[in-house]
Amino acid sequence: MNIEFQDQTNQVDSKHLDLVENLLNFAAEKEDIGEEAEVSITFVTDQKIQEMNKEYRQKDQPTDVISFAMQEMGEDELEIKGENLPVVLGDIIISVDRTREQADTYEHSFERELGFLALHGFLHLLGYDHMTDEDEKKMFGRQEELLYDFGLERK
């Protein structure tokens, strides 16, 4: 899977990018996502993610991660078809500020929280959701299973 990173904070180092890339490729393999798939991940500040949360979700507060799935068909959208076209899954936006705060709050590493948020956003791109109790149980169960199998457990 091709993952494009953008760090608008200049706070995410190469070992963190490698961790996220390896984790999402691991998850993509477990979820039967082809190698041609593409994902974009952007690291932002709380201020930037709050602006996005307000604009796209009508919630004027910072959040930890937002996903924009490209494979969901909206009303009046045409399906893009073609044999050699890459599957663009979508964009994941992660607040680095919120990642650090939550790592402290939950008393685990920055790496664990970053992996948790990146995987959470990725699963949203694949259609997982947590709007109902049943969906939440399914999504968070799968998320914990993947994190555990990858070796990124809570400590």
Side-chain angles (χ1 to χ4, degrees):
M1 181 170 64
N2 181 36
I3 303 173
E4 180 184 321
F5 291 103
Q6 296 176 25
D7 181 10
Q8 296 180 1
T9 69
N10 295 317
Q11 296 178 35
V12 183
D13 62 36
S14 62
K15 75 175 184 175
H16 295 127
L17 297 179
D18 289 345
L19 171 77
V20 170
E21 183 172 20
N22 291 334
L23 173 60
L24 294 190
N25 276 306
F26 175 82
E29 184 178 318
K30 296 291 186 184
E31 290 287 318
D32 286 327
I33 302 302
E35 291 180 18
E36 73 283 356
E38 295 181 2
V39 172
S40 144
I41 300 178
T42 304
F43 300 101
V44 298
T45 63
D46 264 0
Q47 179 182 348
K48 179 64 176 175
I49 208 164
Q50 180 171 347
E51 291 168 7
M52 296 175 84
N53 205 19
K54 182 179 179 182
E55 181 177 348
Y56 296 105
R57 298 178 66 227
Q58 291 70 53
K59 296 182 179 184
D60 191 10
Q61 62 192 34
T63 189
D64 48 13
V65 61
I66 298 176
S67 298
F68 297 100
M70 300 298 279
Q71 295 302 310
E72 293 179 344
M73 292 275 296
E75 218 175 289
D76 299 324
E77 287 185 10
L78 296 175
E79 185 175 359
I80 300 172
K81 295 181 180 179
E83 284 194 25
N84 296 318
L85 293 176
V87 176
V88 180
L89 297 176
D91 303 316
I92 301 169
I93 314 299
I94 298 174
S95 167
V96 175
D97 299 331
R98 189 74 25 170
T99 303
R100 289 190 197 294
E101 287 175 28
Q102 290 177 178
D104 288 344
T105 299
Y106 299 126
E107 297 181 346
H108 56 233
S109 69
F110 176 80
E111 290 79 8
R112 161 68 172 151
E113 188 65 19
L114 184 63
F116 178 91
L117 295 175
L119 182 57
H120 186 85
F122 182 67
L123 290 176
H124 273 303
L125 297 183
L126 300 183
Y128 286 84
D129 211 337
H130 45 86
M131 298 300 280
T132 67
D133 289 342
E134 183 179 327
D135 287 345
E136 181 176 333
K137 185 176 181 180
K138 181 180 177 184
M139 180 176 185
F140 282 95
R142 184 61 173 151
Q143 188 170 327
E144 287 303 318
E145 178 184 359
L146 289 167
L147 288 168
Y148 178 83
D149 290 347
F150 183 74
L152 198 55
E153 306 170 53
R154 290 183 189 237
K155 297 193 181 189

